[in-house]
Amino acid sequence: MSAPIVPASPAVVERAARLLLSGQLVAFPTETVYGLGADATNERAVAEIFVAKGRPRFNPLIVHVTSLTEAESFAVFNAEARRAAAHFWPGPLSLVLPGRADSGLSLLASAGLDTIAIRAPAHPVAQALLRETGRPIAAPSANRSGRVSATEAAHVAEELGDKIALILDGGPTPVGLESTVLDLSGETPALLRPGAVTLEQLSELLGPITAPAVGAPKSPGMLVSHYAPALPVRLAATEAGPGEALLAFGPDAPSGFAEILWLSRSGDLAEAAANLFAMLRRLDRPCFTGIAVMPIPEGGLGRAINDRLRRAAAIRK
């Protein structure tokens, strides 16, 4: 039986908190995408996230908290991390930091690493759920592993409805892409995953930002193939292939496609990001041979959009 989708009233948030404290899974909206939440201090509940998603156990989760004050109970913050949190929290930025040995967090949440990915979300429903639960919440995106992320409650039901207890409906997520992930556990800040907090904003605040080192993933969203619809995805499309649908960007689109959806007719990257996953889902139908995507500028938020598109288009193993 599929989990109920319920508007996130105070009474429903209280119900969701009780479910989390009893070890069950609850989906909830953040400003980025919908998260699949479990009590981050409950090892068995966190394990259920991996089972529900079919997620590899080496792929760590992000732990959600209300604030910097709470985050410091679980992770070791240096001056750079405090500056980043003060500037961007609550908001769509996750920080990878050394974990505290006495944090009480599930070891699975960090995939056995000595670092933890942590953030304070800005969405009022997420904040209300965190306050009501009184525990940190481990929450990857609420979709099957490797698939297109959920930006609406209905997407969660399609992907995971029979595997969770409740879906809190807070409407479409305003950002539409997963959080930026910044690794501050080493000598130099490293951008592990681009998002709505841009590389340019981080560099202005913290100075030079490097690329991630090769090795085990230290945050979600680092696998080569990810965010993928069932249909193949073709990037930088300037003309139609037989039977393809198109995600268009900008005022003009090439002709000959079986269907066209506009990420943004005005070329607005924030609008394109908010539409990306929902539109990929709408075009992921067997009547098309594939999904083509027009070129997206690489700067600012476009870097995050292109990151998701490259992983969606990657060869699947």
Side-chain angles (χ1 to χ4, degrees), residues 220-307:
M222 297 184 70
L223 302 181
V224 172
S225 179
H226 209 52
Y227 316 112
L231 290 178
V233 175
R234 182 169 67 89
L235 305 183
T238 57
E239 58 184 25
E244 285 183 324
L246 178 70
L247 283 180
F249 181 81
D252 302 309
S255 61
F257 287 93
E259 185 170 332
I260 299 175
L261 294 180
W262 257 269
L263 291 170
S264 174
R265 284 183 183 269
S266 65
D268 184 293
L269 289 170
E271 181 184 16
N275 284 332
L276 177 62
F277 288 142
M279 288 186 173
L280 277 173
R281 286 176 177 274
R282 283 172 60 186
L283 294 181
D284 192 18
R285 308 200 304 270
C287 57
F288 304 128
T289 59
I291 302 171
V293 187
M294 287 179 63
I296 307 290
E298 185 65 26
L301 189 52
R303 183 177 291 103
I305 296 170
N306 284 321
D307 170 77

Side-chain angles (χ1 to χ4, degrees), residues 23 25 35 47 59 63 74 76 79 90 95 102 112 119 125 129 165-166 170 200 203 217 222 231 236 250 283 292:
L25 304 184
N59 197 8
V63 173
F74 306 112
V76 179
L95 300 175
D102 59 351
R119 86 170 175 113
V125 174
L129 182 62
L166 181 68
E200 291 83 355
S203 299
M222 297 184 70
L231 290 178
L283 294 181

Side-chain angles (χ1 to χ4, degrees), residues 3-204:
I5 299 175
V6 187
S9 67
V12 174
V13 169
E14 182 181 351
R15 174 184 165 195
R18 290 198 304 269
L19 289 168
L20 286 170
L21 291 170
S22 71
Q24 298 189 67
L25 304 184
V26 170
F28 63 97
T30 76
E31 69 275 20
T32 58
V33 298
Y34 273 75
L36 177 61
D39 175 356
T41 68
N42 183 329
E43 196 79 48
R44 182 164 184 167
V46 171
E48 288 300 319
I49 290 177
F50 288 85
V51 173
K53 284 177 63 75
R55 184 185 183 91
R57 297 259 176 138
F58 60 78
N59 197 8
L61 308 176
I62 292 172
V63 173
H64 294 68
V65 295
T66 56
S67 64
L68 171 58
T69 300
E70 184 183 355
E72 289 192 292
S73 301
F74 306 112
V76 179
F77 280 70
N78 58 20
E80 287 179 322
R82 289 193 185 92
R83 192 155 68 249
H87 199 81
F88 295 112
W89 280 7
L93 174 67
S94 296
L95 300 175
V96 174
L97 300 166
R100 292 193 180 276
D102 59 351
S103 70
L105 293 176
S106 157
L107 292 176
L108 264 179
S110 60
L113 300 172
D114 58 5
T115 54
I116 188 73
I118 195 163
R119 86 170 175 113
H123 198 289
V125 174
Q127 280 284 333
L129 182 62
L130 284 159
R131 289 193 300 271
E132 190 68 38
T133 306
R135 304 268 179 87
I137 298 175
S141 56
N143 52 274
R144 286 175 288 146
S145 184
R147 291 272 296 154
V148 180
S149 299
T151 57
E152 300 176 16
H155 300 162
V156 182
E158 291 168 11
E159 293 274 327
L160 299 170
D162 61 343
K163 295 178 172 63
I164 54 182
L166 181 68
I167 301 169
L168 285 174
D169 189 354
T173 60
V175 173
L177 296 177
E178 299 81 1
S179 62
T180 303
V181 181
L182 182 68
D183 183 5
L184 293 175
S185 66
E187 292 184 5
T188 306
L191 184 65
L192 302 188
R193 181 174 71 186
V197 176
T198 66
L199 176 62
E200 291 83 355
Q201 290 173 306
L202 292 169
S203 299
E204 183 178 354

